[in-house]
Amino acid sequence: MRVGVLDTWMNERYLPFWRAYLAELGVEVLVPRLPASEALARLEEAWPRPARLLAARVLELKARGAEAVLVPEAVGESPRGSGQCPWAVDPASMLERELSGLPPLWRVPPERSEAVLGLAAQVGQGLVQNPQEVRRALDATRRLLVPYKPPAMPRAARLLGVAAMPYLLEDPRLYPELVRTAEARGWTLARPDASPERLRDEGARLGLKIDLPTDLEFAGAAHYLGRLGRVDAVVLLACDHCPAVERLARRIEAKMTKPAAVYVLGDDPEEALVRVERAQG
């Protein structure tokens, strides 16, 4: 069987285990080949840019013969009814709604912990129909079930912190305009190096009355970066075509004590950086 795996939307949080596990089971694992810029150019729908790349990757894997695709599961529903962007809450369901004829989408938690062993065993049994092979594959790969660790922050004279929803923040290919403009103005971009759990705790301290994990990580990333002395300013990066996320970004901005500005994908990043620099005085 051919199973497609993604290279975006928090993929590093869960795929190191699943890629190895599927390979141990003898499954052919398909990975995207198109450059991200080319994949994005193939979809012109008015969807958030991370959603367009996600959809483009799934369509590419389908075209190459994937009989199933691993995708991250929904983040859950907010009892507050926050009007969150549906792509942010449940990307798999949005893919199934917007794209016809997709192979089955296998939803997996975007994490690496012992809690996924039961699901992995269930998936493996469905693939090979052999409990002994499933146990052997799990024994060979369970060492990879270690919590996701973000990359270390860079060391530079002018650090510009970047906070965003994790599925956007963790894929710089989605905001190349900001990367180029920041570098041209002498900034080094820095993502938070704290764990997702730590960031969610940080986000809860802002008092924004949010409860979705991705929302909390966005707020927590800003709060964490805002407390670091080596970070000079913070850009709050928001998806295009996603008013709910932009509203959240502006609520976070109002809580910041360090110079900060909201940048929406598709806008001119120079304007956001000028605002940050002016706030620095």
Side-chain angles (χ1 to χ4, degrees):
M1 185 173 187
R2 290 171 298 218
V3 177
V5 298
L6 303 170
D7 66 341
T8 189
W9 209 287
M10 303 188 289
N11 58 300
E12 285 303 317
R13 296 195 182 193
Y14 65 98
L15 277 182
F17 164 73
W18 285 98
R19 277 193 301 256
Y21 175 57
L22 292 171
E24 283 289 334
L25 290 170
V27 172
E28 182 181 353
V29 178
L30 300 180
V31 298
R33 293 175 180 168
L34 288 174
S37 57
E38 183 178 340
L40 282 166
R42 294 190 175 194
L43 280 180
E44 298 181 353
E45 281 78 359
W47 300 340
R49 194 181 294 179
R52 284 198 295 123
L53 181 57
L54 177 68
R57 288 315 199 199
V58 173
L59 289 174
E60 177 192 348
L61 293 167
K62 171 192 172 184
R64 289 175 47 208
E67 297 165 84
V69 179
L70 259 63
V71 295
E73 67 182 11
V75 301
E77 295 183 3
S78 170
R80 303 178 192 274
S82 64
Q84 180 58 280
C85 173
W87 284 102
V89 176
D90 193 350
S93 292
M94 288 299 294
L95 287 167
E96 291 169 337
R97 192 180 88 176
E98 298 291 343
L99 302 174
S100 60
L102 293 181
L105 302 181
W106 291 351
R107 294 158 169 82
V108 297
E111 64 179 41
R112 281 177 273 161
S113 71
E114 295 280 320
V116 306
L117 283 174
L119 175 62
Q122 181 181 347
V123 168
Q125 183 60 24
L127 286 169
V128 300
Q129 305 292 316
N130 186 323
Q132 290 184 336
E133 280 199 35
V134 170
R135 282 196 296 271
R136 180 195 59 77
L138 286 174
D139 288 343
T141 56
R142 67 188 303 161
R143 60 183 171 78
L144 298 173
L145 290 175
V146 294
Y148 165 73
K149 185 176 181 181
M153 293 177 63
R155 295 186 179 277
R158 297 180 76 210
L159 276 187
L160 179 63
V162 183
M165 290 289 198
Y167 52 82
L168 172 58
L169 183 63
E170 293 171 13
D171 193 345
R173 299 171 305 171
L174 293 168
Y175 46 98
E177 311 98 315
L178 178 61
V179 174
R180 289 193 299 266
T181 305
E183 289 176 351
R185 297 184 71 90
W187 290 100
T188 298
L189 296 186
R191 291 160 40 189
D193 56 0
S195 69
E197 294 78 16
R198 168 79 178 276
L199 294 183
R200 290 194 285 269
D201 289 342
E202 294 263 354
R205 298 177 191 170
L206 280 184
L208 292 174
K209 296 183 179 179
I210 54 178
D211 41 33
L212 289 173
T214 46
D215 290 7
L216 288 168
E217 282 192 48
F218 187 178
H223 188 245
Y224 178 81
L225 292 167
R227 293 193 300 103
L228 292 182
R230 55 190 163 135
V231 173
D232 299 295
V234 179
V235 167
L236 307 170
L237 183 57
C239 295
D240 50 338
H241 302 292
C242 200
V245 173
E246 183 178 348
R247 286 194 297 271
L248 175 60
R250 299 200 183 281
R251 292 172 63 199
I252 297 169
E253 181 186 23
K255 293 278 189 177
M256 298 292 291
T257 56
K258 184 167 285 187
V262 173
Y263 167 60
V264 180
L265 288 178
D267 290 351
D268 182 0
E270 188 110 20
E271 294 180 4
L273 296 182
V274 167
R275 290 198 303 273
V276 162
E277 290 164 359
R278 285 176 180 165
Q280 282 187 295

